[in-house]
Amino acid sequence: MSRNSPSPKDDLTQLKQKLIHYKSEIRHVQNQLKSYERALEREKENTSFWKKKHAETLSTSEKEVEIEGLERELDLLRNELSEQKIIAEAFREKASRKQPVIEEKIVEKIIEKVVEKPVERFEKSDILCFFQHSILLPEQSERELMIFGNVIIQNQTSSTLHSPVLCLKMKPVASSTLSGKIVDEKSIEASSIPSSSLEWRYAHPKWNEKIQHDGEYWIKPIKQTSLKPKDKLLFDSFQVVIPLSSDTTSFILEGFFYSEEWQEGIPFLNKVVLNFP
């Protein structure tokens, strides 16, 4: 036997030390798992409360995104816990047989076993669409009310979405005007606005008629022609001007998201609803 070769006793001692290490790792992961499970239950209770109290608010959608993140963390922790348990069991078995252990080989085999096929997600609820907005109330001498906002689309599916299109619909028809980083396709080349600032264009060939007759703004991004999993699509800094008169009693802004995969449209999680006395 070579002088540099460990004795069976030394090898067994090393195995026991590694076994102690992996047991400690298992306890640590189990504690993390319990912590995430408690946090997940709290968030589910909070989300249930917000859904009952404000069914169409932005807070609910944010809570749902947070819960999805916690669930993914739990899945990762469960996988890690499975790995640690199987590795520890492999070392325990080798130690009982007093056989030399090649740690790298064991870990490679364990990882191959525990890697699971990604879950396919492609439900309507996996595409989050909502408004963020604020309202600027008019002064006494003013007769206009303004809404400033953003549209956020987040792809929570496991597939890429192609040719995204937004429809922003206002009621009553022709009661207000919407403006933002939108340009007519025919005017892109002739536009004096820097090309870097041009983000959206009208998606309907007769877009002006759709606005006047139906109150619908059909728009699509100029550069972002697809939306990968976990990516976001933003229509930011839009403005809506609402003239106020004695006939103005209410205003509604609602949104719909379309793509090649969702041609029937997905309504936004919330709406902008105003009622005037």
Side-chain angles (χ1 to χ4, degrees), residues 147 168-178 210-217 240-254 272-276:
I147 299 173
L168 305 181
K169 184 177 179 65
M170 296 191 294
K171 301 176 184 177
V173 174
S175 63
S176 54
T177 56
L178 182 147
K210 293 294 292 182
I211 294 172
Q212 296 298 323
H213 297 161
D214 303 322
E216 296 177 355
Y217 289 75
V240 177
V241 178
I242 307 172
L244 300 178
S245 65
S246 58
D247 298 330
T248 307
T249 58
S250 65
F251 171 82
I252 298 176
L253 172 63
E254 54 187 339
V272 181
V273 180
L274 303 176
N275 293 303
F276 305 101

Side-chain angles (χ1 to χ4, degrees), residues 107-125:
V107 174
E108 285 177 5
K109 291 182 179 179
I110 299 308
I111 292 176
E112 287 177 1
K113 291 181 180 179
V114 299
V115 170
E116 298 179 358
K117 183 179 179 181
V119 177
E120 293 294 329
R121 297 177 57 184
F122 205 70
E123 298 294 329
K124 184 179 292 187
S125 58

Side-chain angles (χ1 to χ4, degrees), residues 6-16 98-101:
S7 65
K9 184 177 180 181
D10 291 337
D11 186 60
L12 183 59
T13 300
Q14 291 178 5
L15 289 176
K16 289 181 178 179
K98 297 183 180 181
Q99 295 179 354
V101 178

Side-chain angles (χ1 to χ4, degrees), residues 82-271:
S82 298
E83 290 179 16
Q84 298 292 347
K85 285 183 176 179
I86 298 173
I87 291 173
E89 182 61 32
F91 276 110
R92 189 181 296 111
E93 181 182 351
K94 293 290 183 180
S96 65
R97 297 177 182 177
K98 297 183 180 181
Q99 295 179 354
V101 178
I102 303 176
E103 183 176 356
E104 293 79 5
K105 295 295 182 182
I106 292 178
V107 174
E108 285 177 5
K109 291 182 179 179
I110 299 308
I111 292 176
E112 287 177 1
K113 291 181 180 179
V114 299
V115 170
E116 298 179 358
K117 183 179 179 181
V119 177
E120 293 294 329
R121 297 177 57 184
F122 205 70
E123 298 294 329
K124 184 179 292 187
S125 58
D126 294 326
I127 302 175
L128 303 181
C129 318
F130 54 91
F131 290 109
Q132 287 181 333
H133 71 280
S134 58
I135 300 172
L136 180 62
L137 297 175
E139 300 291 339
Q140 290 183 351
S141 59
E142 297 177 338
R143 301 303 301 166
E144 291 182 343
L145 182 147
M146 297 187 69
I147 299 173
F148 299 91
N150 305 310
V151 171
I152 300 176
I153 311 295
Q154 186 164 359
N155 182 10
Q156 294 286 345
T157 74
S158 55
S159 302
T160 298
L161 305 177
H162 300 88
S163 303
V165 174
L166 299 182
C167 174
L168 305 181
K169 184 177 179 65
M170 296 191 294
K171 301 176 184 177
V173 174
S175 63
S176 54
T177 56
L178 182 147
S179 60
K181 300 174 183 178
I182 319 170
V183 65
D184 182 5
E185 188 171 7
K186 298 178 181 178
S187 305
I188 292 179
E189 294 182 0
S191 176
S192 59
I193 303 175
S195 58
S196 58
S197 300
L198 300 176
E199 298 181 3
W200 292 80
R201 63 184 179 186
Y202 292 104
H204 198 282
K206 296 182 179 180
W207 58 270
N208 198 31
E209 293 182 13
K210 293 294 292 182
I211 294 172
Q212 296 298 323
H213 297 161
D214 303 322
E216 296 177 355
Y217 289 75
W218 289 82
I219 60 175
K220 59 184 178 181
I222 295 175
K223 299 176 182 178
Q224 192 172 351
T225 58
S226 63
L227 191 59
K228 296 179 180 179
K230 309 306 176 188
D231 277 1
K232 288 183 179 180
L233 178 64
L234 301 178
F235 174 50
D236 60 336
S237 304
F238 71 79
Q239 300 178 21
V240 177
V241 178
I242 307 172
L244 300 178
S245 65
S246 58
D247 298 330
T248 307
T249 58
S250 65
F251 171 82
I252 298 176
L253 172 63
E254 54 187 339
F256 303 88
F257 171 79
Y258 298 82
S259 70
E260 290 181 4
E261 296 78 12
W262 292 97
Q263 297 185 16
E264 70 275 21
I266 298 175
F268 284 19
L269 293 172
N270 60 340
K271 304 177 183 178

